[in-house]
Amino acid sequence: MSRVHNFSAGPATLPETVLRQAQEEMLDWRGVGASIVELSHRGPEFIQVASEAEADLRKLMSIPDEYAVLFLGGGATTVQALLPLNFAAPGQAADYVLTGHWGKTAIKQAKPYVTANVAASSEADGFRSIPARDTWQLSKDAAYLHYTANETIHGVEFRDIPDVGDVPLFADFSSSIASEPVDVSRFGVIYAGAQKNLGPVGITVVIIRRDLLERAGQPRADILDYRSHVKGESMLNTPPSWNWYLLGLTVKWMLAEGGVEEFARRSARKSALLYDVIDSSGGFYRNEVDPGVRSRMNVPFFLHDEALDKPFLKEADAAGLISLKGHRALGGMRASIYNAMSEAGVQALAGFMRDFRQRHG
């Protein structure tokens, strides 16, 4: 079997070694005679899987003890609705910085529960930049400030953690988590859908500074209360155990590969290679994002003639380079190059792009 180079934005490619281990353990996990997905989430076997996953993630990301780590279903979009319910009082303001599609989604989910203030937005320039920090209009006594660390669709990434004083910083790290060292202590909440860098779709990591759990928040059902999830160790209801298991294998793989420092180096090389192909193409390819905030994870680009889009995708597929079509909100192409995308895969794409330009330019 020959595996292709999969540039999907999510669900995204997983490490082959992780998939092979999951395949080997599918019918019999560590000699118990049953699959981990068949075993009780409250049994000793799965408790071991869950404990190892948390310990490994804490090690990978250097998560301090004063932060709780949750592994939940519902996706990042559900988290966006739960943040104001758990951490903002009724009628309290919360600030949002919008730099792309997912920032807009976050504020949409929050609006029923909080006075959502758009502190800054780059929508006017098509989400090609990040507004300068000194232009942000912050609310007085905001419950938190929320931003999207990396915009998967528009290819815009914060390269520094914004300083907002004493206001808790909440961030959606779905598409860049564990891709480089991050000072977790700078944040109140970090959350991420797993399906880009941490594992499969269907499980979400939420990292919460424990003192924030003392906030009363707003009236909500127990299942929507992060305090209850922390107390129940992410098992307030039956968790997505298979997804949790795969996440654990993926985190172990990242540790074995050298951790976030190594993946930061790889990401820098991979993204630089693609941007160089684009920038040196004489306009055949173009990326419209401010170079200072270009994403290392998602590289959107356009061909100079839209009539070439279909031939590009068809020929790329034939070359074993799949899932390069851009999101419908933006069009064009997009190469997602998360941690599990090999440098060989990016080199193959770069070579294809150069060859396609020579044949169609």
Side-chain angles (χ1 to χ4, degrees):
M1 181 189 69
S2 176
R3 283 175 57 78
V4 297
H5 297 299
N6 177 11
F7 294 91
S8 174
T13 189
L14 287 167
E16 186 172 337
T17 55
V18 167
L19 294 175
R20 291 192 180 280
Q21 182 174 348
Q23 181 184 47
E24 292 172 3
E25 296 179 340
M26 183 67 185
L27 297 179
D28 183 5
W29 183 81
R30 299 188 184 180
V32 302
S35 173
I36 193 67
V37 76
E38 300 174 300
L39 300 174
S40 169
H41 61 290
R42 301 196 184 279
E45 298 86 2
F46 188 75
I47 294 297
Q48 180 181 349
V49 167
S51 297
E52 288 182 9
E54 178 175 343
D56 288 341
L57 185 63
R58 284 185 178 276
K59 181 178 180 181
L60 179 71
M61 294 182 61
S62 301
I63 301 172
D65 290 341
E66 57 266 30
Y67 285 76
V69 180
L70 296 173
F71 300 87
L72 304 173
T77 307
T78 299
V79 176
Q80 291 161 0
L82 293 181
L83 292 176
L85 279 177
N86 281 268
F87 303 117
Q92 188 176 14
D95 290 335
Y96 284 77
V97 176
L98 308 186
T99 54
H101 176 89
W102 296 113
K104 292 185 69 175
T105 299
I107 200 169
K108 177 182 178 181
Q109 301 308 315
K111 276 185 175 180
Y113 311 112
V114 72
T115 301
N117 170 54
V118 178
S121 174
S122 58
E123 186 167 15
D125 75 353
F127 294 127
R128 298 184 179 96
S129 64
I130 292 177
R133 172 63 187 85
D134 60 8
T135 67
W136 296 9
Q137 300 296 312
L138 304 182
S139 303
K140 183 179 180 181
D141 300 323
Y144 56 82
L145 182 137
H146 179 283
Y147 77 101
T148 307
N150 180 77
E151 280 287 355
T152 318
I153 294 173
H154 291 89
V156 175
E157 183 177 14
F158 278 80
R159 300 307 304 132
D160 297 296
I161 301 172
D163 184 356
V164 291
D166 294 330
V167 178
L169 196 58
F170 291 7
D172 179 355
F173 267 86
S174 291
S175 52
S176 59
I177 193 168
S179 65
E180 64 180 341
V182 169
D183 184 357
V184 175
S185 69
R186 297 276 304 277
F187 295 87
V189 175
I190 286 174
Y191 66 96
Q195 65 270 18
K196 305 179 190 289
N197 268 333
L198 290 182
V201 67
I203 190 164
T204 305
V205 169
V206 189
I207 303 167
I208 305 171
R209 202 176 70 211
R210 294 185 191 275
D211 67 290
L212 292 173
L213 295 167
E214 299 173 6
R215 292 187 177 186
Q218 302 181 35
R220 57 198 182 276
D222 192 47
I223 196 67
L224 305 180
D225 194 323
Y226 281 135
R227 295 170 299 189
S228 298
H229 283 291
V230 170
K231 184 177 180 180
E233 297 180 325
S234 301
M235 297 185 190
L236 197 59
N237 59 345
T238 305
S241 57
W242 176 253
N243 312 68
W244 200 338
Y245 156 76
L246 282 173
L247 181 151
L249 293 185
T250 304
V251 173
K252 285 183 183 299
W253 171 79
M254 285 192 277
L255 286 169
E257 290 289 303
V260 292
E261 293 83 4
E262 172 59 21
F263 284 107
R265 289 188 285 268
R266 295 181 189 181
S267 294
R269 292 193 297 265
K270 290 187 296 185
S271 57
L273 177 58
L274 288 187
Y275 287 123
D276 180 65
V277 171
I278 293 166
D279 294 341
S280 63
S281 70
F284 187 87
Y285 303 109
R286 71 181 190 278
N287 171 279
E288 299 176 344
V289 176
D290 177 350
V293 296
R294 282 174 165 178
S295 171
R296 300 164 303 120
M297 300 285 102
N298 310 98
V299 180
F301 60 95
F302 303 88
L303 281 75
H304 75 101
D305 183 354
E306 288 186 10
L308 291 173
D309 286 3
K310 288 184 177 180
F312 181 93
L313 291 170
K314 183 178 180 180
E315 292 182 27
D317 281 355
L321 308 166
I322 70 168
S323 302
L324 285 164
K325 186 177 181 179
H327 191 276
R328 60 185 180 277
L330 194 63
M333 308 296 157
R334 174 176 54 172
S336 295
I337 50 175
Y338 306 120
N339 286 353
M341 170 54 64
S342 67
E343 292 189 66
V346 177
Q347 290 165 357
L349 174 58
F352 169 80
M353 291 173 66
R354 293 189 188 99
D355 178 68
F356 187 88
R357 175 194 168 197
Q358 289 178 350
R359 291 184 289 106
H360 295 274

